[in-house]
Amino acid sequence: MKTERLTRIVWVNRVLLSHYRRHPLQAIFLLLGLTLGVALWSAVELINGHARTSYADAEQFLGADAHFWIRPTGENAAVSQQDYIRLRRLGFVELYPIIEARLQTREQDWLILLATDFMALPIADAQNNSSETATPFVGDALAFMTPPFQTAVPESLASELGINPGDQLTLTNGQRLPPATLQSRPQQGERLVVDMAAAFEVLNRDNFDYLGVTKLSASREQALRQALPEGLILTRNQQSLDLQELTDSLHIQLAAMGWLAFVVGLFIVFNAVRFSLWMRQATLTTLREMGIGLDDLALAIALEALFWSVLGTLLGGGLGFLLGNLLLPTVSSSLGSLYGAIITPTVTLTARHLLQAAIMTLLGVTVAVAGPIWLSARRSIRQQQHQTLDQQFQPRQLGVQSLSAVALLGLAALYYFQIDSVSDGFVLLALVLFGSALSLPPLLYGAFWLAARSMPASWWRLRWAMRDAFAQLPHLRIAMMALLLALVANLGVSTLVGSFRIAFTDWLTVRMSADVYVQSATLDADALLTQAPLKVQASHARTGLNLRWQDRPTEIRGVNTQAPDMRSLPLALSEPNALSQWAEQGHLRPILANEQVHHLAGVNLGESVSLPTDTGTVDFQVVGFFHDYGNPYYAFYLPKATVSQYWKNAQPMGLAIWLQDTNLQAFEPDLLDAGAEPGDWIDQRQLMSVALQIFERTFAITGALNTLTLGVAGVALFAALMSIHQQRLHQYAHWRALGVNQQEWLLIVGGPLAGMVMVTGLLAIPLGAVLSALLIADINIIAFGWSMPLNWSWHPVANLAILTTLTLILTGLTALWRVQRQLPNALIRLGGTA
Amino acid sequence: MLRFTHLSKGYAQPDGFLPVLNDVSGEVARGESVALLGESGSGKSTLLHLVAGLDVPDHGTMLLNDISLTDASAQTWNRLRREHISLVFQDFHLIPTLNVDDNLKLQARLAGQLDLDFCNQLIERLGLTGLLHGLPGELSGGQQQRVAIARSLAHRPTLVLADEPTGNLDEQTAQDVMTLLIDCVRAANSSLLMVTHSPAMAAYLDRRWHLKAGELHED
Ligand SMILES: Nc1ncnc2c1ncn2[C@@H]1O[C@H](COP(=O)(O)OP(=O)(O)OP(=O)(O)O)[C@@H](O)[C@H]1O
Ligand SMILES: [Mg+2]
């Protein structure tokens, strides 16, 4: 019995698959749809992964990745190896040692040498867990860390100094640096990098200048403070780029896009499978007449679906992999070059990834297959025999669709006021997207109905075209929905990325508007400013303290209201003249707060906040909220004088300096003279350009992704068109026999198509805007408490319009060409069988 | 072998209930061939479909080989259609994407009863030898119907039900196909119940039934 059924199923499958042998083009389209759908989704996933790596990459920038410093307190003191090793033995693996020295070569060039313990650098995160077992140091890296060692010299510096690979720089004291290797790694800046052991030898010392500390939780921070030996203090790095939240935010947004790509993929798969089943309707009925039960048929179809999903997943996964490696110009290299480590490529085809893709395609295929099987289960075979192949548009189906669309959108509108978690937000997005997709066919129907009615009778060709739309609509419906979602995804991604780029650039610009940022225990700031008045254009010394407010870490900053970075502080929300009110400090004690205070603590403009001060709680009136992307804490800005009035323990928080000319190198001796030590200052121009470079790479990839999305929708459309024309060939032959010429045919058949694409495109614009607005203005605030300005641009819309039109013309012309080729044959048959 | 008693069937139509078959009874013995005649709309196809299990009667009982088919499960009907009851249609119902050879062996393969010798015998008798590797779409109507006949008989079913099998063919071809059908049905030792409009065709068969006003008469 079992084997009997098995052979039967095998035969049914052979019958079903014979369809593709005779119609290879359909197999190709089905597979193409599946493959591209999976590849598209994979690409989004890859970008997501890449974005995370990029952020981590930016964070790893030496000097910027440290959230804290451990510095010696005394003059000319250092951190001993014993102290470092003891702390690491205590489990503080967040620490890494840094030696930063200013050296002069025999040729009188000043250089900064940077050394660290590469084994201790916290890069494990960025590598994911893929290379946990393998050592990240192989090949050259080994040479880097073992005698005779190597000096990593930035290429620009090498050409400036005339250094070739293998050369050894000689210092004024006669010491020679290890042989040079040239590496272009933006993070390194103009500094020489050597391994710690090499630095000990060259500098003839056995201690470190300071220790860097990566991110610490509040409790870890406390524990580390307590474990610190006498003579070392832990200070917060005011300039650390805390990109974690920004990363998470972009990640959520891209995850939403990934799901959207997933849905587009589902639609395409659905379309392809539905169509192939529908083409085989007669065969299915014949099989049932021959005693194949619905259960056997369903099993056979499920097997076929499985076959396609597996094939599509493998091909799509492979394509995604190729694409990923093509698009992401070796992420690992930037990390690798920084630390001399070779890191396994981040873009890998994981089993989990493939499994997800398989589930996606299988889901699409199953949903597509379930409908027709369920329908035939309800109908007798006899009813099926009488089903005409030329399905007409069913008003009932249209009604059901309109009602569901209205219901979903109505639900979305109600739900909008209820959302208070990220998953709620995603449900809302799903409601909006599906509701809109469902509303598309009724909208198209309505549009054509109106157009046909409003046309004078003498325009018979156009009227015919409008009527023809109704014949095309049932077949193009799903493809149009896929196109709509693809366009929405496209616009959404463009808007998101654009907004992120602006938010990120703004954030960096505000935070890093100064040229140099000095954080030094030994610097005499007044001496520096009086000593080099011609070099310094402006400076800003902040004070501040951290306290807890509303049960959250809160930053209070005392600022100079007239400093360049404060005079034009961009505010998200503000009262009129907020900045001048705040600078003047009237009796209401105006204060500026970050957006998080508004969104998370629920404080509105004009309301008061009660902050704990030395003399008890004091009320301040919030006159403005500033953007503070990615800050997980509450933050308040007050004039410096006000801060010192209420908080005696406010500490200096570093000195930002704007230089007359941006040549930092010329200013460095002044810094040293005023008491700063090498490593106390950060070149902000360079930091910013590196960070921006890294992000630009991520943004560039989304461009490629966008094109791909549209390509997928284009293929879906193309496949649908091909199949429609295949079926209607007979009808076209009739028309031709009636004397319809080629131009008329093009108008009648192509006109409705162009109209449909246009309506779809127009609907996609507001939908794309709504989607990005929901993501940026609602979901992001719920998740993180800060918003970004929504950067709506017509540029991607125009690009999309051009691309879509090109796709349309291309598919239209190909369809025309095929029909023209097959029409003579169809005309011959017209006489034969009909 | 096949016996149906007191079968009734009607359809709900926009202008009320339409009784099609009204308490009809009949019997076909093994190896016997019966023609079913009647005007258009008299219910010939309906009766055939009831017997094939493609539709369900409102009342009445059916027996095939002394097995009751009243209230038979879908599974039973599927099995019967695979192994014991074959259908031949006016429009052939061949699988357009399988070649002739695969088409004519399909039913026997699905039934798990492929007898290659008998198949070859049928191929020869029906003159299909040179056509085996073509697709149905490349054949004439008469040739297609001969393939359909071969398919319906390859597994030697108990009963062949044919609904105007020559309706789409010109007179000469129809006659040739009819002769072949009867010939092959005899070779397979199957029974035949065939709907036809043509008394001439009906004359080839053992018995003739007439459907009129929902009632069945034999002459
Ligand atoms: N599924 C159905 N629903 C409603 N009425 C039906 C259905 N099938 C058949 N009928 C009606 O039942 C009657 C008998 O139909 P049937 O097809 O059996 O006639 P027939 O004798 O085979 O006619 P013909 O010689 O034209 O094929 C017809 O009036 C037909 O309209
Ligand atoms: Mg009939």
Side-chain angles (χ1 to χ4, degrees), chain A residues 714-750:
Chain A
V715 167
L717 190 63
F718 188 66
L721 278 179
M722 283 297 147
S723 53
I724 290 179
H725 296 318
Q726 191 69 40
Q727 290 153 40
R728 297 184 74 197
L729 212 56
H730 191 70
Q731 200 176 0
Y732 298 158
H734 271 289
W735 294 357
R736 181 56 58 90
L738 282 175
V740 173
N741 67 27
Q742 193 167 315
Q743 281 86 358
E744 283 164 340
W745 177 82
L746 207 58
L747 176 74
I748 292 162
V749 176

Short mmCIF file of all heavy atoms in Angstrom, two decimals, chain A residues 714-750:
data_model
loop_
_atom_site.label_atom_id
_atom_site.label_comp_id
_atom_site.label_asym_id
_atom_site.label_seq_id
_atom_site.Cartn_x
_atom_site.Cartn_y
_atom_site.Cartn_z
N GLY A 714 10.35 44.07 -10.98
CA GLY A 714 10.33 44.07 -12.44
C GLY A 714 10.19 42.67 -12.99
O GLY A 714 9.40 42.43 -13.92
N VAL A 715 10.91 41.74 -12.41
CA VAL A 715 10.82 40.36 -12.88
C VAL A 715 9.42 39.80 -12.65
O VAL A 715 8.85 39.13 -13.51
CB VAL A 715 11.88 39.48 -12.16
CG1 VAL A 715 11.59 38.02 -12.40
CG2 VAL A 715 13.26 39.84 -12.66
N ALA A 716 8.85 40.12 -11.49
CA ALA A 716 7.50 39.65 -11.19
C ALA A 716 6.53 40.18 -12.24
O ALA A 716 5.69 39.46 -12.78
CB ALA A 716 7.07 40.10 -9.81
N LEU A 717 6.68 41.45 -12.55
CA LEU A 717 5.82 42.09 -13.52
C LEU A 717 6.01 41.45 -14.90
O LEU A 717 5.05 41.12 -15.60
CB LEU A 717 6.16 43.57 -13.58
CG LEU A 717 5.21 44.45 -14.37
CD1 LEU A 717 3.85 44.42 -13.70
CD2 LEU A 717 5.74 45.87 -14.42
N PHE A 718 7.26 41.25 -15.23
CA PHE A 718 7.61 40.67 -16.52
C PHE A 718 7.01 39.28 -16.65
O PHE A 718 6.38 38.93 -17.67
CB PHE A 718 9.13 40.61 -16.62
CG PHE A 718 9.62 40.22 -17.96
CD1 PHE A 718 9.41 41.04 -19.05
CD2 PHE A 718 10.32 39.04 -18.14
CE1 PHE A 718 9.86 40.69 -20.30
CE2 PHE A 718 10.78 38.68 -19.39
CZ PHE A 718 10.55 39.51 -20.47
N ALA A 719 7.17 38.48 -15.60
CA ALA A 719 6.65 37.11 -15.63
C ALA A 719 5.14 37.15 -15.81
O ALA A 719 4.57 36.39 -16.62
CB ALA A 719 7.02 36.39 -14.34
N ALA A 720 4.49 38.04 -15.09
CA ALA A 720 3.03 38.13 -15.18
C ALA A 720 2.62 38.52 -16.60
O ALA A 720 1.70 37.93 -17.18
CB ALA A 720 2.51 39.14 -14.17
N LEU A 721 3.32 39.49 -17.16
CA LEU A 721 3.00 39.94 -18.51
C LEU A 721 3.15 38.82 -19.53
O LEU A 721 2.29 38.59 -20.38
CB LEU A 721 3.93 41.09 -18.91
CG LEU A 721 3.56 42.46 -18.40
CD1 LEU A 721 4.59 43.47 -18.85
CD2 LEU A 721 2.19 42.83 -18.93
N MET A 722 4.28 38.12 -19.40
CA MET A 722 4.56 37.03 -20.32
C MET A 722 3.43 36.01 -20.29
O MET A 722 2.96 35.54 -21.32
CB MET A 722 5.86 36.33 -19.91
CG MET A 722 7.08 37.09 -20.30
SD MET A 722 7.10 37.18 -22.05
CE MET A 722 7.82 38.67 -22.40
N SER A 723 3.00 35.68 -19.10
CA SER A 723 1.99 34.63 -18.99
C SER A 723 0.65 35.13 -19.53
O SER A 723 -0.06 34.39 -20.19
CB SER A 723 1.87 34.17 -17.56
OG SER A 723 1.66 35.27 -16.73
N ILE A 724 0.34 36.39 -19.26
CA ILE A 724 -0.92 36.92 -19.77
C ILE A 724 -0.93 36.82 -21.29
O ILE A 724 -1.89 36.34 -21.90
CB ILE A 724 -1.08 38.40 -19.42
CG1 ILE A 724 -1.30 38.57 -17.95
CG2 ILE A 724 -2.27 38.99 -20.17
CD1 ILE A 724 -1.43 40.02 -17.59
N HIS A 725 0.16 37.26 -21.89
CA HIS A 725 0.17 37.29 -23.34
C HIS A 725 0.16 35.89 -23.91
O HIS A 725 -0.44 35.63 -24.95
CB HIS A 725 1.38 38.08 -23.84
CG HIS A 725 1.30 39.51 -23.42
ND1 HIS A 725 0.11 40.22 -23.49
CD2 HIS A 725 2.20 40.36 -22.90
CE1 HIS A 725 0.31 41.44 -23.03
NE2 HIS A 725 1.58 41.55 -22.66
N GLN A 726 0.81 34.97 -23.19
CA GLN A 726 0.79 33.58 -23.64
C GLN A 726 -0.65 33.10 -23.74
O GLN A 726 -1.06 32.52 -24.74
CB GLN A 726 1.57 32.74 -22.63
CG GLN A 726 1.86 31.34 -23.09
CD GLN A 726 2.88 31.36 -24.21
OE1 GLN A 726 3.83 32.12 -24.18
NE2 GLN A 726 2.64 30.55 -25.23
N GLN A 727 -1.42 33.39 -22.70
CA GLN A 727 -2.80 32.92 -22.70
C GLN A 727 -3.67 33.64 -23.70
O GLN A 727 -4.62 33.09 -24.23
CB GLN A 727 -3.44 33.15 -21.34
CG GLN A 727 -2.94 32.32 -20.25
CD GLN A 727 -3.14 33.09 -18.99
OE1 GLN A 727 -4.15 33.75 -18.80
NE2 GLN A 727 -2.16 33.03 -18.13
N ARG A 728 -3.36 34.90 -23.89
CA ARG A 728 -4.28 35.70 -24.70
C ARG A 728 -3.91 35.72 -26.17
O ARG A 728 -4.55 36.39 -26.97
CB ARG A 728 -4.32 37.13 -24.15
CG ARG A 728 -4.86 37.18 -22.75
CD ARG A 728 -4.98 38.59 -22.28
NE ARG A 728 -6.09 39.30 -22.89
CZ ARG A 728 -6.19 40.63 -22.89
NH1 ARG A 728 -5.26 41.35 -22.36
NH2 ARG A 728 -7.23 41.21 -23.46
N LEU A 729 -2.87 34.99 -26.50
CA LEU A 729 -2.38 34.97 -27.87
C LEU A 729 -3.51 34.70 -28.85
O LEU A 729 -3.64 35.35 -29.89
CB LEU A 729 -1.30 33.89 -27.99
CG LEU A 729 -0.21 34.18 -29.00
CD1 LEU A 729 0.45 35.50 -28.69
CD2 LEU A 729 0.81 33.06 -28.97
N HIS A 730 -4.32 33.73 -28.46
CA HIS A 730 -5.44 33.32 -29.27
C HIS A 730 -6.36 34.51 -29.55
O HIS A 730 -6.76 34.78 -30.67
CB HIS A 730 -6.17 32.24 -28.49
CG HIS A 730 -7.20 31.54 -29.28
ND1 HIS A 730 -6.87 30.68 -30.30
CD2 HIS A 730 -8.56 31.57 -29.22
CE1 HIS A 730 -7.98 30.21 -30.83
NE2 HIS A 730 -9.02 30.73 -30.20
N GLN A 731 -6.61 35.25 -28.45
CA GLN A 731 -7.47 36.42 -28.54
C GLN A 731 -6.84 37.48 -29.44
O GLN A 731 -7.52 38.08 -30.28
CB GLN A 731 -7.63 36.98 -27.13
CG GLN A 731 -8.82 37.87 -26.95
CD GLN A 731 -8.93 38.28 -25.49
OE1 GLN A 731 -8.11 37.90 -24.66
NE2 GLN A 731 -9.93 39.06 -25.20
N TYR A 732 -5.53 37.68 -29.28
CA TYR A 732 -4.84 38.66 -30.10
C TYR A 732 -4.93 38.28 -31.57
O TYR A 732 -5.04 39.14 -32.45
CB TYR A 732 -3.37 38.78 -29.70
CG TYR A 732 -3.13 39.25 -28.29
CD1 TYR A 732 -1.95 38.99 -27.64
CD2 TYR A 732 -4.11 39.97 -27.61
CE1 TYR A 732 -1.73 39.42 -26.34
CE2 TYR A 732 -3.91 40.40 -26.32
CZ TYR A 732 -2.71 40.12 -25.68
OH TYR A 732 -2.51 40.53 -24.40
N ALA A 733 -4.84 36.97 -31.80
CA ALA A 733 -4.93 36.50 -33.18
C ALA A 733 -6.29 36.88 -33.76
O ALA A 733 -6.41 37.34 -34.91
CB ALA A 733 -4.73 35.00 -33.24
N HIS A 734 -7.32 36.74 -32.95
CA HIS A 734 -8.66 37.15 -33.37
C HIS A 734 -8.69 38.63 -33.72
O HIS A 734 -9.24 39.03 -34.74
CB HIS A 734 -9.68 36.89 -32.26
CG HIS A 734 -10.27 35.53 -32.34
ND1 HIS A 734 -11.17 35.16 -33.30
CD2 HIS A 734 -10.09 34.44 -31.56
CE1 HIS A 734 -11.52 33.91 -33.13
NE2 HIS A 734 -10.88 33.44 -32.08
N TRP A 735 -8.09 39.42 -32.83
CA TRP A 735 -8.07 40.88 -33.07
C TRP A 735 -7.37 41.18 -34.37
O TRP A 735 -7.82 42.00 -35.16
CB TRP A 735 -7.33 41.60 -31.94
CG TRP A 735 -8.00 41.53 -30.61
CD1 TRP A 735 -9.20 40.96 -30.34
CD2 TRP A 735 -7.51 42.07 -29.38
NE1 TRP A 735 -9.48 41.08 -29.01
CE2 TRP A 735 -8.47 41.76 -28.40
CE3 TRP A 735 -6.38 42.77 -29.02
CZ2 TRP A 735 -8.31 42.13 -27.08
CZ3 TRP A 735 -6.21 43.15 -27.71
CH2 TRP A 735 -7.17 42.83 -26.74
N ARG A 736 -6.24 40.52 -34.54
CA ARG A 736 -5.46 40.76 -35.76
C ARG A 736 -6.30 40.41 -36.97
O ARG A 736 -6.32 41.14 -37.97
CB ARG A 736 -4.17 39.94 -35.71
CG ARG A 736 -3.24 40.11 -36.89
CD ARG A 736 -2.85 41.55 -37.15
NE ARG A 736 -2.18 42.19 -36.03
CZ ARG A 736 -0.87 42.18 -35.83
NH1 ARG A 736 -0.09 41.55 -36.66
NH2 ARG A 736 -0.35 42.81 -34.80
N ALA A 737 -7.02 39.30 -36.84
CA ALA A 737 -7.88 38.88 -37.95
C ALA A 737 -8.96 39.92 -38.20
O ALA A 737 -9.42 40.11 -39.33
CB ALA A 737 -8.49 37.52 -37.65
N LEU A 738 -9.37 40.62 -37.15
CA LEU A 738 -10.40 41.66 -37.29
C LEU A 738 -9.83 42.93 -37.89
O LEU A 738 -10.56 43.86 -38.21
CB LEU A 738 -10.98 42.00 -35.92
CG LEU A 738 -12.00 41.05 -35.34
CD1 LEU A 738 -12.37 41.48 -33.92
CD2 LEU A 738 -13.23 41.00 -36.22
N GLY A 739 -8.49 43.02 -37.97
CA GLY A 739 -7.86 44.20 -38.57
C GLY A 739 -7.26 45.17 -37.59
O GLY A 739 -6.97 46.31 -37.93
N VAL A 740 -7.09 44.75 -36.34
CA VAL A 740 -6.43 45.63 -35.37
C VAL A 740 -4.94 45.68 -35.71
O VAL A 740 -4.31 44.63 -35.81
CB VAL A 740 -6.63 45.08 -33.95
CG1 VAL A 740 -5.81 45.88 -32.94
CG2 VAL A 740 -8.10 45.11 -33.58
N ASN A 741 -4.41 46.88 -35.91
CA ASN A 741 -2.99 46.92 -36.28
C ASN A 741 -2.10 47.00 -35.05
O ASN A 741 -2.57 47.04 -33.91
CB ASN A 741 -2.71 48.07 -37.26
CG ASN A 741 -2.90 49.43 -36.60
OD1 ASN A 741 -2.74 49.56 -35.38
ND2 ASN A 741 -3.24 50.42 -37.39
N GLN A 742 -0.81 47.04 -35.31
CA GLN A 742 0.15 46.91 -34.22
C GLN A 742 0.07 48.06 -33.22
O GLN A 742 0.11 47.84 -32.01
CB GLN A 742 1.55 46.85 -34.82
CG GLN A 742 2.60 46.41 -33.84
CD GLN A 742 3.88 46.06 -34.57
OE1 GLN A 742 3.85 45.37 -35.58
NE2 GLN A 742 4.99 46.55 -34.09
N GLN A 743 -0.07 49.30 -33.73
CA GLN A 743 -0.16 50.45 -32.83
C GLN A 743 -1.40 50.33 -31.95
O GLN A 743 -1.36 50.61 -30.75
CB GLN A 743 -0.23 51.77 -33.61
CG GLN A 743 1.10 52.25 -34.14
CD GLN A 743 1.41 51.62 -35.50
OE1 GLN A 743 0.62 50.80 -36.00
NE2 GLN A 743 2.54 51.98 -36.07
N GLU A 744 -2.50 49.93 -32.59
CA GLU A 744 -3.74 49.81 -31.82
C GLU A 744 -3.60 48.74 -30.75
O GLU A 744 -4.03 48.90 -29.61
CB GLU A 744 -4.91 49.48 -32.76
CG GLU A 744 -5.37 50.70 -33.53
CD GLU A 744 -6.24 50.34 -34.72
OE1 GLU A 744 -6.20 49.18 -35.18
OE2 GLU A 744 -6.96 51.22 -35.20
N TRP A 745 -2.95 47.66 -31.14
CA TRP A 745 -2.76 46.58 -30.17
C TRP A 745 -1.94 47.08 -28.99
O TRP A 745 -2.26 46.82 -27.83
CB TRP A 745 -2.04 45.41 -30.86
CG TRP A 745 -1.75 44.29 -29.91
CD1 TRP A 745 -2.61 43.31 -29.51
CD2 TRP A 745 -0.52 44.06 -29.22
NE1 TRP A 745 -2.00 42.48 -28.62
CE2 TRP A 745 -0.71 42.91 -28.41
CE3 TRP A 745 0.72 44.70 -29.20
CZ2 TRP A 745 0.29 42.40 -27.60
CZ3 TRP A 745 1.71 44.18 -28.39
CH2 TRP A 745 1.50 43.04 -27.60
N LEU A 746 -0.87 47.81 -29.30
CA LEU A 746 0.00 48.33 -28.26
C LEU A 746 -0.76 49.24 -27.31
O LEU A 746 -0.60 49.19 -26.09
CB LEU A 746 1.17 49.09 -28.91
CG LEU A 746 2.45 49.12 -28.10
CD1 LEU A 746 2.93 47.71 -27.82
CD2 LEU A 746 3.51 49.91 -28.85
N LEU A 747 -1.63 50.07 -27.88
CA LEU A 747 -2.42 50.98 -27.07
C LEU A 747 -3.39 50.21 -26.17
O LEU A 747 -3.50 50.46 -24.97
CB LEU A 747 -3.20 51.94 -27.97
CG LEU A 747 -4.13 52.89 -27.22
CD1 LEU A 747 -3.32 53.97 -26.53
CD2 LEU A 747 -5.16 53.50 -28.15
N ILE A 748 -4.07 49.24 -26.79
CA ILE A 748 -5.09 48.51 -26.05
C ILE A 748 -4.49 47.69 -24.93
O ILE A 748 -5.00 47.64 -23.81
CB ILE A 748 -5.89 47.59 -27.01
CG1 ILE A 748 -6.70 48.45 -27.97
CG2 ILE A 748 -6.78 46.64 -26.24
CD1 ILE A 748 -7.16 47.70 -29.20
N VAL A 749 -3.35 47.05 -25.23
CA VAL A 749 -2.75 46.16 -24.24
C VAL A 749 -1.78 46.92 -23.32
O VAL A 749 -1.73 46.68 -22.12
CB VAL A 749 -2.03 44.99 -24.95
CG1 VAL A 749 -1.32 44.13 -23.93
CG2 VAL A 749 -3.05 44.17 -25.71
N GLY A 750 -1.01 47.84 -23.91
CA GLY A 750 0.01 48.53 -23.12
C GLY A 750 -0.55 49.69 -22.32
O GLY A 750 -0.05 49.98 -21.23
#
